[in-house]
Amino acid sequence: MSQTKLANPMERALSLAGLASGSSNPNPAVGAVIIKNGEVVGEGYTQTAGSHHAEIVALKQAGEASRGASLYVTLEPCCHFGRTPPCTDAIIEAGITHVHMATLDPNPLVCGKGKEALEKAGIKTVVGHLGPQSLELNEAYVKYITTGVPFVIAKFAMSLDGKIATRSGHSKWISCEESRRFVHGLRYSADAIMVGVNTIMLDDPHLTVRISGDGGTVVKQPWRVVVDTHGRTPLSANIFQEPVRILIITAEDVEKRKVENFKEKGAEVIKVPASGGFLDLRKVISELGKREISNLLVEGGETLLGSFFDHELVDKVVVFVAPIIVGGKAARTPVGGVGVENVGQAKHLKSVKIVRFGEDVLISGYLKPLEYNDLCSPVSLKK
């Protein structure tokens, strides 16, 4: 590659890591830059699962120039055999002399061991620069690799008076075009998009990602997950009209005929315990984790979102507020469920961010910020 100088190689590595977000799952999104004599001789980011990690891409690009060079990487290099061999072995063999890591890897199989392996080989290591940014980019990976269940994002768009649809059920469009484009980015980053069966029956969404790659085709589509206690999802629903992965989650006593109909449509059916007409959501996310779904985007409707909030299963909230008034007692609201008794018990977002998209306002924040200091990391994102 043509050699260039960088004022901050770790910033470049973090920028590269962002290119892997959404495509590297369940692996973390990692960027790597190799510097020799002040110039970039190799760089890369994590490829799809089972392919090269960021460090390997950068080493292959640098070739012999790696010998005596410094590696800047946004996450501690792996030191175990997974889908690919250990990156630490390749780094040592390439002759890298210094490794700068934004943060250690909370994966129990790595968790400081990669750093130790490099140091035993005589490589000098530095940890900490831009660590919080790297971990925030990989918030879903951090939760999944340490708990085995997905990071849950609750997303909805509403009017100023808290409505997601009119009294007749009409909802297109509450948010503006700029907001909807951002949502497709969220969907792309997710492994799965989840809705309740009522949303399927009322809105008949496609739940697709409409982001094109270089060839003009969508790079990937996440799982479509429907929480459907009694198996009411219409076989004519739009979610069945494209060859994508579909999960229908039902109660254990749902009719066998309904299950077979879903399977004939290409869906996988998961049966979980139910009580009072509601599925055990903890069991649901556990089943998703078994399928390597690390980043779950829950888009509604109000019954499903209410249950997730009631059971304290939401990690992050993303809300678009449009400057419109819908009105009407019968108009739909975004979050149902039991809720709280008084305002003092309301769930408070932390690390809140507010961004404008056209005329809309995006408010996002965390309900359960991860304690990264407890996850083998020298830095913390808690604010």
Side-chain angles (χ1 to χ4, degrees):
M1 65 175 295
S2 60
Q3 296 182 340
T4 56
K5 293 183 180 293
L6 287 179
N8 193 327
M10 192 64 81
E11 283 187 356
R12 172 60 180 170
L14 191 65
S15 176
L16 289 167
L19 298 176
S21 181
S23 62
S24 64
N25 301 357
N27 291 335
V30 179
V33 176
I34 298 174
I35 301 292
K36 188 171 186 177
N37 299 324
E39 297 182 325
V40 178
V41 294
E43 59 181 26
Y45 56 89
T46 312
Q47 304 300 296
T48 55
S51 189
H52 293 313
H53 290 189
E55 301 95 318
I56 304 303
V57 176
L59 288 170
K60 284 182 174 294
Q61 190 176 88
E64 282 301 312
S66 297
R67 200 156 299 280
S70 296
L71 169 67
Y72 292 77
V73 62
T74 57
L75 194 69
E76 179 182 14
C78 66
C79 54
H80 66 289
F81 279 89
R83 289 185 174 96
T84 59
C87 287
T88 50
D89 289 356
I91 293 168
I92 294 167
E93 185 178 344
I96 293 289
T97 57
H98 293 76
V99 175
H100 300 255
M101 296 167 260
T103 181
L104 298 180
D105 188 340
N107 183 345
L109 295 175
V110 184
C111 203
K113 300 182 183 69
K115 178 176 180 289
E116 182 180 358
L118 295 172
E119 290 173 342
K120 282 184 176 180
I123 296 174
K124 295 182 179 180
T125 65
V126 179
V127 182
H129 183 47
L130 298 183
Q133 292 89 331
S134 174
L135 288 171
E136 184 173 10
L137 180 66
N138 286 296
E139 57 196 8
Y141 165 77
V142 172
K143 183 182 180 185
Y144 177 73
I145 205 66
T146 55
T147 66
V149 297
F151 184 83
V152 178
I153 302 174
K155 189 277 296 183
F156 53 89
M158 67 180 189
S159 63
L160 278 177
D161 55 338
K163 309 296 184 181
I164 61 172
T166 68
R167 64 178 184 272
S168 67
H170 187 265
S171 61
K172 293 184 179 181
W173 295 99
I174 294 289
S175 56
C176 68
E177 185 177 347
E178 292 91 335
S179 296
R180 297 197 296 275
R181 280 200 297 266
F182 182 81
V183 168
H184 283 285
L186 285 177
R187 288 181 173 183
Y188 177 78
S189 296
D191 294 316
I193 305 169
M194 175 183 284
V195 296
V197 65
N198 288 335
T199 295
I200 295 294
M201 298 179 73
L202 288 169
D203 300 336
D204 198 16
H206 290 270
L207 301 180
T208 53
V209 174
R210 291 188 287 277
I211 296 177
S212 297
D214 293 337
T217 58
V218 173
V219 177
K220 74 155 201 173
Q221 291 288 353
W223 288 84
R224 299 173 190 181
V225 182
V226 182
V227 177
D228 183 1
T229 306
H230 305 294
R232 295 186 296 135
T233 301
L235 299 178
S236 60
N238 283 325
I239 60 167
F240 294 120
Q241 305 311 309
E242 297 179 46
V244 296
R245 296 169 298 181
I246 300 171
L247 285 176
I248 306 291
I249 306 178
T250 69
E252 293 174 322
D253 61 354
V254 73
E255 296 175 31
K256 183 178 179 180
R257 173 184 56 81
K258 292 182 176 181
V259 172
E260 292 303 318
N261 287 340
F262 292 146
K263 289 182 177 179
E264 287 177 5
K265 281 290 191 178
E268 179 183 351
V269 179
I270 302 175
K271 292 185 176 183
V272 300
S275 177
F278 293 93
L279 298 179
D280 182 343
L281 288 181
R282 294 189 184 279
K283 179 65 174 175
V284 168
I285 65 170
S286 175
E287 288 293 333
L288 297 184
K290 292 176 183 178
R291 288 156 178 79
E292 293 193 328
I293 292 174
S294 62
N295 191 343
L296 175 65
L297 182 63
V298 183
E299 294 201 357
E302 64 182 284
T303 300
L304 182 64
L305 281 171
S307 293
F308 264 91
F309 281 109
D310 285 344
H311 290 88
E312 299 185 343
L313 296 174
V314 176
D315 296 293
K316 186 176 184 177
V317 180
V318 176
V319 181
F320 296 90
V321 182
I324 60 174
I325 303 295
V326 173
K329 291 182 179 180
R332 290 159 56 192
T333 56
V335 181
V338 177
V340 298
E341 289 287 339
N342 58 69
V343 174
Q345 297 172 323
K347 303 180 191 306
H348 287 256
L349 299 186
K350 301 175 178 64
S351 301
V352 174
K353 293 181 180 179
I354 301 174
V355 182
R356 283 283 299 271
F357 285 95
E359 293 185 341
D360 296 348
V361 175
L362 168 63
I363 302 172
S364 65
Y366 297 85
L367 286 175
K368 297 191 297 184
L370 294 169
E371 297 285 353
Y372 293 115
N373 277 328
D374 297 331
L375 299 175
C376 189
S377 173
V379 295
S380 173
L381 286 183
K382 187 176 180 182
K383 298 178 180 179

